[in-house]
Structure formats: C-alpha cells, structure tokens
C-alpha cells in the first residue's frame, strides 16, 4: 500500500553550478555535431575547475557531411579551435567572468577524438533500462518539489541576465520541502536557497540576511498562494556568505546531477546521464520516450500518476519490457495501457529518434533547470513534452 501522508524534498541547481557548466559545454558539442550531420555520434565529457576546462570523449560523423570548417574534418580530426570557442561561449553565456573562472582566460584542453568502429558497434547495440514519470501535481505534470526548485532558480537567473538583479552570481542551489496529504501536496514546510553573490553592494559588505531579502520575492512568486512557510523555515545562504563559487569553489563533471535532471527522486532513474550523449544512446532517448508516454497517459486522464519503465538488451532493437505503474490512481488497466502505447509509438531506438525528431541541435538548452517539465519549442526542442498522443489514448479507452 502506497504512503499517502508524508513530507518530501527535492533540490535543483542553477546553470552556474560546476556540474551544470559541464553539462552545458558537453551538450553544446552535441549540438554542433548535429548542425553538421544529423547522423553524428557523440559522447563528450567535460571537467571544470579553477580556470580550467577539459573536454574528452569519442565522436563520429559521416564522411559525406564533414567539411574543413566544421567540428570534424573528413579525416576524422576534431576541430579543437571550434570546440574551445564553443566552451568559452557557453561559460560567457552562463555569466562567469571572475578571477577564478573566466570565460576568456580559463585554459581549455580538448581531447575529443574519432570513435573506433568497435565502440561504435557497441553503442548502436547498447542496452539499459530507463524510466519516465508524470503527475498531476503541477501544470507541467511534474513533481511539485522539483518544479518549484527549478522555477525559483530560473527566475533568479533571468533577473541576473536581464540586469534587474546585479548582485546575484551564477552558482546557486535550491531545495523545497512539501507536505503531502492523501498523496497530494498541500503546503510548503521549508525552503533552502543558496546563491553565489557579489561581495559588496557599493560599500556595504553583503551578509546572509541581505541576500535573504533579495531572494524572498522569487520564492513567493513560485509557490501557490498560501503555501509560503514561516520565515524561520526559509533558509537563504544558511552557511554564511557565498562569494567564491562555481568551478573556482568546486570542480564539476558532466552527468553528476541526474536526479536534478529528471524527477527529483520522486520516481526511479535508470542510472545513465543525459548530457554529452547523442540520442542513439538509450540513456538519453529512451528516458525522453518514457517521459513522453507517461505524460500523455496522465494528460489523457488515464491516471493521476504514471511511471513507465522501458528495458533494453544489447543487440535487441525492441524493448524487452514496457512496464506501466499508475500507483493506484489509474482509470484503465495498466497492461492494456502498455499495449496501446506500443501500438502508438515504435519504441526501438531508431523509432524513438524518428517519432520525437531527436537528431537535431536541441540539447544545450536542456542542460539546466531539468530535461522535463519544459514547454516544447517550435524548432523541435523538448518534443518529448508534447501531449499529442492524449486524444488517441482517450479514444483507445
């Protein structure tokens, strides 16, 4: 029997968190390959620390698509100057121009190389299990604690980029704790926001209390009316001043924030990271497909919550299993839902890429504030957030 009354917490991190800086750079590389070749294969890892950016991984393009001014030559050599330019541009866009980590002066090392035929064969046939989840808790059909955690950091980042709030710096983390009754969130019991900030506002040295007053309006804006917890349960920079942050304060690696990227711990995770990988890797594409299907099940009114698992084996195109769990909220038979979903969408790796149109340069935008719960873009970005199967699902039941 599922738990109905409980307290649940999820966290998010901003685009300036060291790990998210790495995710962004890695996905910029993925996008650049797809701009040149929709059949490109990319596995790019990034490391950042004090004034250092390191890119490593294996890549492949079709000889027909490659050219002298593209990310990879016909001979299979990576254009390291272009890769470095992309990394610097990403760091600049995030907003790092600090002594310890500056987009212009940081050292960039590029160790990307051509993918071997043996690795390529293994990648094409890779197996894994991936999960998708959707819930009626928010308009985005996402778990509320995670969605609010994303939203507050995105609002703060927008204020920083626009110049409306010049005292914020790029690195930040948020955490929302919600109380659930009868399986539904009813109020927020605690909020934690830690944000990097300028050392001074004019001549005034900024302390935690000053930053709290700057952050409170953003917290109030993301929470539903009447959900704001008491101020003594709102913790802003609880460890003190936060001036040194980002890669200068801590190292970062691609793929270390997979729970932030997905459902904040409210649903299972297959284990594989998304960023830096082209969608031929089911770590990425099958997770997107599972979210797409789960969201359409909920959008169709067949359940208030839905978890979907897709399981794959090496060398087998079709999934070994399609598991649907509506956690007692379903209005239709779960096995029939699983059967109908497979009739509506091919769940082979190729079928997923074709249905969701994933072989496009649409990945850098996914690197921060979650891969799910985002609005679909006109150019095909976040296509897995569409609910275009909902009508067909309703008719099937």
């Amino acid at each position: 029997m599922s738990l109905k009354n409980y307290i649940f917490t999820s966290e998010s991190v901003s685009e300036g968190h060291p790990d998210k800086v790495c995710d962004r750079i890695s996905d910029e590389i993925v996008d650049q390959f797809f701009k040149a070749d929709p059949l490109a294969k990319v596995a790019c890892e990034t490391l950042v620390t004090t004034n250092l950016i390191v890119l490593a991984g294996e890549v492949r393009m079709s000889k027909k698509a490659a050219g002298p001014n593209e990310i990879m030559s016909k001979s299979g050599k990576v254009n390291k100057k272009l890769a470095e330019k992309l990394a610097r541009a990403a760091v600049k866009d995030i907003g790092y121009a600090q002594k310890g980590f500056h987009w212009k002066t940081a050292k960039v090392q590029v160790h990307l190389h051509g993918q071997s035929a043996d690795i390529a064969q293994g990648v094409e046939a890779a197996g894994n299990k991936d999960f998708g989840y959707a819930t009626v808790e928010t308009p985005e059909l996402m778990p509320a604690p995670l969605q609010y955690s994303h939203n507050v950091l995105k609002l703060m980042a927008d204020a920083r980029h626009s110049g409306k709030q010049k005292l914020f710096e790029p690195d930040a983390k948020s955490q929302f704790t919600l109380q659930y009754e009868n399986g539904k969130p009813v109020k927020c019991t605690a909020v934690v926001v830690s944000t990097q900030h300028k050392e001074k506002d004019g001549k005034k040295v900024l302390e935690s209390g000053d930053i709290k007053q700057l952050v409170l309006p953003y917290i109030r804006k993301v929470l539903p009316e009447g959900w704001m917890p008491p101020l003594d349960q709102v913790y802003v920079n609880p460890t003190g001043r936060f001036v040194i942050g980002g890669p200068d304060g801590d190292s970062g690696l691609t793929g270390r924030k997979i729970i932030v990227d997905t459902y904040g711990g409210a649903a299972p995770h297959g284990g594989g990271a998304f960023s830096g990988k082209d969608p031929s890797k089911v770590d990425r594409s099958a997770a997107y497909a599972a979210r797409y299907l789960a969201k359409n099940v909920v959008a169709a009114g067949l359940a208030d919550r839905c978890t979907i698992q897709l399981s794959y084996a090496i060398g087998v195109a079709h999934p070994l299993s399609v598991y649907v769990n509506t956690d007692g909220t379903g209005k239709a038979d779960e096995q029939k839902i699983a059967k109908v979903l497979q009739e509506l969408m091919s769940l082979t790796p190729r079928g997923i890429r074709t249905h969701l149109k994933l072989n496009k340069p649409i990945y850098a935008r996914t690197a921060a504030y979650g891969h799910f719960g985002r609005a679909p873009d006109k150019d095909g970005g976040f296509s897995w957030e569409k609910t275009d199967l909902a009508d067909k699902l309703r008719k099937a039941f």
Side-chain angles (χ1 to χ4, degrees):
M1 185 173 67
S2 61
L3 192 65
K4 296 297 183 182
N5 301 320
Y6 55 93
I7 292 176
F8 194 82
T9 301
S10 294
E11 72 169 23
S12 181
V13 293
S14 71
E15 65 202 72
H17 186 282
D19 296 331
K20 284 286 135 197
V21 173
C22 294
D23 287 348
R24 169 70 181 274
I25 293 171
S26 292
D27 275 338
E28 290 285 0
I29 298 297
V30 174
D31 280 357
Q32 189 63 35
F33 271 88
F34 274 127
K35 288 176 182 177
D37 179 11
L39 301 178
K41 299 292 184 288
V42 186
C44 176
E45 307 287 344
T46 303
L47 175 148
V48 295
T49 186
T50 303
N51 272 331
L52 176 65
I53 303 168
V54 181
L55 283 69
E58 302 78 38
V59 294
R60 178 160 59 95
M61 282 176 58
S62 64
K63 291 183 179 180
K64 183 178 179 180
N69 297 319
E70 294 174 351
I71 187 67
M72 196 170 187
S73 69
K74 289 185 178 180
S75 62
K77 291 184 178 180
V78 174
N79 185 337
K80 293 186 176 182
K81 288 186 178 179
L82 178 54
E84 177 181 338
K85 181 180 178 181
L86 292 169
R88 293 191 187 281
V91 173
K92 182 180 181 181
D93 185 63
I94 291 169
Y96 278 115
Q98 301 166 1
K99 182 179 179 180
F101 193 72
H102 198 296
W103 66 271
K104 192 173 184 179
T105 59
K107 184 178 181 181
V108 180
Q109 299 178 2
V110 180
H111 300 283
L112 296 168
H113 59 82
Q115 187 183 70
S116 74
D118 290 344
I119 292 178
Q121 182 179 359
V123 167
E124 291 291 348
N128 204 344
K129 60 181 183 298
D130 294 279
F131 293 88
Y133 181 71
T135 172
V136 295
E137 292 177 18
T138 62
E140 299 86 357
L141 302 186
M142 286 289 288
L146 179 66
Q147 194 64 45
Y148 300 149
S149 295
H150 286 328
N151 290 351
V152 73
L153 295 182
K154 184 64 167 62
L155 284 176
M156 291 167 62
D158 290 345
R160 175 174 60 85
H161 284 299
S162 69
K164 181 179 178 181
Q165 183 46 261
K166 298 180 180 180
L167 298 177
F168 291 157
E169 293 282 22
D171 195 0
K173 177 181 285 190
S174 64
Q175 180 176 295
F176 279 68
T177 300
L178 301 189
Q179 181 174 322
Y180 284 71
E181 295 179 1
N182 295 319
K184 297 180 180 180
V186 295
K187 67 177 180 179
C188 180
T189 61
V191 178
V192 181
V193 176
S194 293
T195 181
Q196 186 186 15
H197 58 86
K198 295 273 196 300
E199 184 174 11
K200 296 180 180 180
D201 180 10
K203 294 183 178 180
K204 176 180 171 55
V205 176
L206 293 172
E207 303 293 343
S208 294
D210 303 314
I211 303 303
K212 185 172 184 176
Q213 293 306 310
L214 297 177
V215 170
L216 281 173
Y218 301 98
I219 297 173
R220 291 191 176 103
K221 188 169 183 178
V222 303
L223 285 172
E225 187 176 354
W227 281 35
M228 187 71 181
L231 289 184
D232 62 356
Q233 296 300 308
V234 178
Y235 305 94
V236 176
N237 288 16
T239 60
R241 293 166 62 237
F242 184 5
V243 175
I244 298 175
D248 188 29
D250 192 11
S251 62
L253 290 170
T254 301
R256 284 206 299 198
K257 288 291 177 284
I258 58 176
I259 301 303
V260 170
D261 288 341
T262 53
Y263 307 105
H269 192 290
F274 303 157
S275 291
K277 299 175 181 177
D278 73 83
S280 71
K281 286 79 171 174
V282 292
D283 277 345
R284 186 164 213 161
S285 57
Y288 289 171
R291 161 64 178 175
Y292 172 67
L293 296 179
K295 185 174 183 180
N296 274 272
V297 168
V298 173
L302 300 182
D304 288 345
R305 289 192 297 277
C306 182
T307 301
I308 291 179
Q309 182 201 65
L310 304 178
S311 176
Y312 293 86
I314 293 175
V316 181
H318 290 275
L320 299 183
S321 65
V322 178
Y323 166 78
V324 175
N325 181 1
T326 57
D327 194 24
T329 70
K331 302 172 181 64
D333 179 73
E334 292 167 337
Q335 291 185 341
K336 184 177 179 182
I337 292 175
K339 181 177 182 294
V340 172
L341 289 175
Q342 293 175 81
E343 294 170 353
L344 294 177
M345 179 181 181
S346 170
L347 294 175
T348 66
R350 183 184 295 274
I352 292 170
R353 297 196 301 272
T354 301
H355 188 102
L356 297 178
K357 298 179 173 58
L358 297 180
N359 286 65
K360 292 181 176 182
I362 55 174
Y363 297 104
R365 70 193 75 172
T366 69
Y369 313 115
H371 290 244
F372 309 128
R374 311 282 290 274
D377 294 324
K378 292 182 179 179
D379 66 352
F382 300 105
S383 60
W384 50 92
E385 291 298 307
K386 292 182 177 180
T387 54
D388 52 350
L389 294 183
D391 286 342
K392 294 178 181 179
L393 280 167
R394 277 191 287 267
K395 290 178 182 177
F397 291 89

